[in-house]
Amino acid sequence: MTDLIEHLLSNTGPIAEELGDLFEPRPQQLDMAKAVTNALAQKTSLLVEAGTGVGKSLAYLVPAAVQCVTQSQRVVIATNTIALQEQLISRDVPLILKTLTDNIPSEVTPLVPVLAKGRGNYLSIRRLARASSRQERIFPDAASRKSLHVIEQWAYDTTEGTLATLPELDRPAVWDRVQSDASNCMGRRCPHNDSCFYQNARRSLENANLIICNHALFFSDLVMRIKGHGFLPHYDHVIFDEAHNLEDVASDHFGLSLAESRVSHMLAMLYHPRTGKGLLSAQAQLGADTDTIDVAIARVHQATHAARAFFDDLATLHHGFSRSGGRINEPDAVPNPLTPAMNDLTLVLKRLKDNATNDADRFDLASMAERSSDIAITAESLIKQSMPDCAYWVEITASTRGFGARVRFSCSPIEVGPLLDEHLFVEDKSIILTSATLATGRSQRSKSDPFAHVRHRLGCDKADALQLGSPFDHARQTRLVIDQTMPSPDQGQTYLDAIAQRVIEHTAATQGGAFVLFTSFKSLHAVADMVESELEMLNLPLLVQGRGGSRSKLLETFRNDHAAVLFGAASFWQGVDVPGNSLRNVIITHLPFDPPDRPLTEARIQRIKDQGGNPFMEESLPRAIIRFKQGFGRLIRTQSDAGRVVVLDPRIVTKRYGNLFLRALPENVCIDHVTACE
């Protein structure tokens, strides 16, 4: 099989022939493909850090496809971003299908790829028809009914019935009324079963041998699979791309979360107090028992008041913390009127369901009863802190408790590694993790294992590992500028003033085309306010995350304006691909350490202390190095890209640990130290 892989990916092979001038010979790609082939054949686990430009997707897709067709096995490929999924399914997989046809014997199993999406992405034809026929009774305003009409028009033309092609809605919550819902599914009794978008997708999934999905879908399935009822078909191998995000996604799915908006939306679907519209009103007008309907509406009112009290108490608790992270260390920190109120509502909804005269009403009411019960159980689990070894915290989406503030109560495992070791890295499957940033150093210079951090955090101590550098010529393409004249980040406003001055200087030097990366939105917006007028005078358009529309809209504007300067935090450090001259300057304002009061970070630090370890070296520093590598990697995306990365945090040279950040970067990067103000 290795010979076949080498042939397919060689400089004179069918993929090179198909790509023509677009093909670039990359020995690192072939090395990775061989390692993936061996892991698939032996059903072992593998970690692969492959620098930008290696061509990771083909390096794992080709061996995966060959495994599917020659061994009649099923491979799941999970990515973190939609952009990469779309690249795989629309560009890379068709290329492999075309080249395999002429290089694999006709009698082998054909390659059948499919893009798997969560059930909530699919339109339910039955629920749409039902919502349409009852729209005057269940939707509280004209804008909601207008959004329903948009969905109706789209439904006539869509072939796959997923959110990916749905036009933007004035009231996105309307989708909840028409999406496919497991608890509201009539299965084979549904008159639309044969044409159901979700059921057709399920049938395609069962027939596929190469399944592409996102991390969230995979871990949703894994959590359900642990309970005995996963929705993905049996698979033999899993390949995770963008695997540096894996721990966070797994932590979310092994934890619990209850948002104020989720509760208020569910109750408003039942009965909207201002308009009197909703499912219960529709039931009353259809002849349901009015006494029971009145009781149900009263229960909705009670649950609404209970929810308000519950989340207000959590918000008050949060505002009383001396720290800003919102971690709750003890159970029963506030009273819990929500669970009994939702339990009472659940009972009356079940009574209505039992008395319903048709299947459609029974399924609607059963679905709402299940939601109500789930809210009650989740609230009780969070308040009682019934999940062991978890961090519990409250977060508020607005800076004050004024109008529009929303509260969320969550918990996640402090360490997800033991769970993954038990449930993911099992002996009968090969699990392959790859990313441009998995290691915290370079193998040839590190005395210890550069993958030690990721091994511990993801529970894969026994996995083989391969570290491949980038094929790009960073000595020629990249200039790293370290500004040693910057004040220390702990100097507050003085540091922000210095950032603003340096951002103006460096963006002017490259005439824009710059990403300016921050570690907090507070600093980002403060500096944006300071530099906006100056950049405008320089004819450098300023794009600010959180102020100028969606992330995708900001990126589109940036790509189309070569003088633009984009201020970003969080998601802009990773998963952003801007090849060419549009991006020629990346400015890193802070070394990307997690805030120490972030609840999970705080809990992990305390756990390491309790075990006698060094939290900074074992937790904070490795995470910051990996994220720093992600930010650095935004600059060079192709062989022809060139530019500068500017670091404005002097700790990279003034602190002993600073050299570890530099050692983690690609070899031969040219470094300019700014030691005096120009």
Side-chain angles (χ1 to χ4, degrees):
M1 191 181 300
T2 302
D3 291 342
L4 175 59
I5 302 298
E6 289 187 19
H7 170 64
L8 291 171
L9 288 171
S10 70
N11 298 347
T12 57
I15 291 177
E17 182 178 348
E18 186 66 32
L19 290 175
D21 293 339
L22 296 177
F23 181 83
E24 296 176 358
R26 289 167 283 196
Q28 296 93 337
Q29 184 181 65
L30 193 54
D31 289 342
M32 177 175 171
K34 291 177 181 178
V36 172
T37 300
N38 290 333
L40 294 174
Q42 299 171 16
K43 290 197 172 181
T44 56
S45 297
L46 174 67
L47 303 170
V48 184
E49 179 179 271
T52 306
V54 165
K56 293 188 299 295
S57 59
L58 287 181
Y60 60 72
L61 269 176
V62 171
V66 171
Q67 190 77 15
C68 292
V69 301
T70 62
Q71 305 300 314
S72 297
Q73 293 180 340
R74 182 180 281 128
V75 180
V76 173
I77 295 174
T79 77
N80 191 58
T81 60
I82 294 174
L84 182 52
Q85 292 169 57
E86 291 176 345
Q87 173 194 313
L88 296 179
I89 204 71
S90 64
R91 190 187 76 186
D92 296 337
V93 170
L95 172 65
I96 291 172
L97 275 168
K98 191 170 184 180
T99 54
L100 277 182
T101 301
D102 298 327
N103 291 274
I104 299 289
S106 58
E107 63 270 15
V108 302
T109 304
L111 183 66
V112 183
V114 69
L115 178 62
K117 298 182 179 182
R119 184 166 195 152
N121 284 275
Y122 290 91
L123 174 71
S124 166
I125 300 172
R126 179 187 69 81
R127 295 192 74 205
L128 174 61
R130 188 167 174 79
S132 181
S133 67
R134 298 181 173 192
Q135 58 184 281
E136 295 298 330
R137 296 190 288 271
I138 64 175
F139 290 113
D141 53 38
S144 296
R145 292 188 288 276
K146 178 184 176 184
S147 293
L148 177 69
H149 299 155
V150 171
I151 296 173
E152 289 173 323
Q153 291 297 318
W154 165 76
Y156 282 112
D157 299 322
T158 182
T159 57
E160 63 173 29
T162 71
L163 276 170
T165 59
L166 179 66
E168 186 173 351
L169 303 176
D170 292 337
R171 294 287 190 270
V174 171
W175 177 257
D176 197 18
R177 296 279 191 177
V178 301
Q179 70 181 17
S180 182
D181 181 349
S183 60
N184 202 340
C185 178
M186 298 177 67
R188 291 196 175 104
R189 283 184 285 172
C190 177
H192 303 284
N193 185 62
D194 290 342
S195 56
C196 174
F197 293 114
Y198 175 72
Q199 295 299 340
N200 286 336
R202 285 284 303 165
R203 288 185 276 270
S204 296
L205 199 59
E206 291 291 342
N207 293 325
N209 52 14
L210 183 66
I211 298 173
I212 296 171
C213 66
N214 63 23
H215 292 172
L217 178 69
F218 179 87
F219 282 103
S220 293
D221 172 78
L222 183 61
V223 171
M224 293 177 65
R225 193 177 293 264
I226 292 169
K227 299 174 183 177
H229 51 276
F231 50 85
L232 288 176
H234 170 80
Y235 48 82
D236 302 285
H237 314 278
V238 187
I239 300 173
F240 293 102
D241 201 345
E242 302 174 311
H244 58 278
N245 292 293
L246 216 58
E247 183 183 8
D248 288 341
V249 179
S251 293
D252 288 344
H253 283 80
F254 281 112
L256 292 173
S257 185
L258 184 61
E260 182 181 7
S261 57
R262 169 186 165 191
V263 180
S264 59
H265 175 61
M266 179 262 170
L267 293 172
M269 287 179 67
L270 284 170
Y271 184 79
H272 197 284
R274 181 174 55 81
T275 64
K277 304 276 180 80
L279 177 62
L280 295 177
S281 298
Q283 289 291 310
Q285 295 184 33
L286 291 170
D289 177 53
T290 54
D291 290 339
T292 308
I293 290 291
D294 288 342
V295 172
I297 291 174
R299 295 287 185 268
V300 170
H301 286 307
Q302 292 170 8
T304 300
H305 290 302
R308 187 173 298 121
F310 179 75
F311 287 107
D312 280 354
D313 283 347
L314 287 171
T316 300
L317 181 68
H318 182 278
H319 284 284
F321 289 152
S322 59
R323 59 186 186 275
S324 60
R327 186 179 175 201
I328 300 177
N329 292 317
E330 301 294 335
D332 298 311
V334 300
N336 178 20
L338 183 58
T339 292
M342 297 305 289
N343 281 334
D344 289 345
L345 177 59
T346 301
L347 290 175
V348 73
L349 290 173
K350 287 181 177 179
R351 194 187 318 160
L352 282 171
K353 183 260 296 182
D354 292 339
N355 295 332
T357 57
N358 63 72
D359 283 345
D361 286 336
R362 275 192 288 273
F363 278 96
D364 282 346
L365 291 163
S367 174
M368 298 307 290
E370 184 174 318
R371 292 190 188 196
S372 178
S373 176
D374 185 61
I375 289 171
I377 293 169
T378 303
E380 182 76 0
S381 296
L382 288 167
I383 284 294
K384 294 296 183 183
Q385 298 198 357
S386 58
M387 293 181 63
D389 295 319
C390 284
Y392 292 77
W393 71 91
V394 174
E395 55 189 319
I396 301 178
T397 59
S399 58
T400 69
R401 291 180 58 199
F403 178 78
R406 283 293 182 265
V407 181
R408 181 184 294 271
F409 193 7
S410 305
C411 77
S412 286
I414 297 172
E415 292 183 289
V416 78
L419 292 167
L420 298 182
D421 178 41
E422 179 180 359
H423 300 294
L424 178 62
F425 293 99
V426 292
E427 292 182 358
D428 64 333
K429 292 179 174 63
S430 57
I431 307 296
I432 297 166
L433 287 71
T434 185
S435 168
T437 55
L438 283 180
T440 56
R442 290 198 295 268
S443 295
Q444 63 270 35
R445 294 191 182 183
S446 178
K447 295 180 181 178
S448 60
D449 177 11
F451 292 92
H453 176 73
V454 72
R455 287 185 192 278
H456 175 67
R457 299 310 310 175
L458 296 181
C460 52
D461 289 339
K462 298 178 181 178
D464 295 326
L466 176 66
Q467 189 174 22
L468 299 167
S470 170
F472 296 146
D473 184 0
H474 283 279
R476 177 182 58 84
Q477 295 177 261
T478 311
R479 175 188 171 205
L480 177 63
V481 179
I482 299 175
D483 192 334
Q484 297 181 225
T485 68
M486 286 287 295
S488 172
D490 60 13
Q491 293 188 29
Q493 188 59 47
T494 301
Y495 186 63
L496 292 180
D497 291 340
I499 288 176
Q501 177 190 343
R502 304 305 198 280
V503 165
I504 293 170
E505 293 171 0
H506 285 287
T507 55
T510 58
Q511 296 181 306
F515 271 8
V516 185
L517 300 178
F518 292 82
T519 57
S520 78
F521 282 102
K522 182 179 179 181
S523 297
L524 183 155
H525 291 139
V527 175
D529 291 339
M530 286 189 276
V531 304
E532 184 173 17
S533 59
E534 188 75 23
L535 293 182
E536 184 177 359
M537 292 174 59
L538 294 169
N539 294 317
L540 303 179
L542 177 61
L543 307 173
V544 180
Q545 185 180 6
R547 293 183 180 176
S550 67
R551 179 175 183 265
S552 58
K553 181 180 178 181
L554 288 174
L555 280 173
E556 181 182 2
T557 304
F558 182 84
R559 289 188 180 103
N560 292 330
D561 189 336
H562 287 200
V565 176
L566 192 155
F567 278 28
S571 61
F572 277 95
W573 284 78
Q574 60 179 319
V576 177
D577 194 14
V578 185
N581 196 46
S582 293
L583 179 59
R584 49 196 181 274
N585 188 356
V586 173
I587 302 174
I588 295 175
T589 60
H590 297 74
L591 294 180
F593 290 101
D594 284 338
D597 62 353
R598 178 176 174 245
L600 262 180
T601 301
E602 183 182 273
R604 288 166 179 162
I605 288 173
Q606 187 60 52
R607 173 69 58 86
I608 294 170
K609 285 181 179 178
D610 293 344
Q611 295 171 346
N614 183 328
F616 181 77
M617 296 302 295
E618 296 176 31
E619 176 70 13
S620 304
L621 183 59
R623 287 182 183 277
I625 289 172
I626 288 174
R627 195 174 178 203
F628 179 76
K629 290 169 64 177
Q630 282 286 331
F632 182 93
R634 295 314 94 210
L635 182 66
I636 304 299
R637 311 303 296 177
T638 71
Q639 295 279 10
S640 59
D641 290 350
R644 65 169 72 177
V645 176
V646 180
V647 179
L648 298 180
D649 191 331
R651 291 175 296 178
I652 200 167
V653 289
T654 61
K655 298 294 185 181
R656 290 179 61 185
Y657 59 75
N659 191 46
L660 296 176
F661 285 90
L662 299 177
R663 284 170 52 185
L665 295 178
E667 291 187 278
N668 302 320
V669 173
C670 295
I671 302 178
D672 289 347
H673 292 272
V674 178
T675 56
C677 295
E678 297 177 0

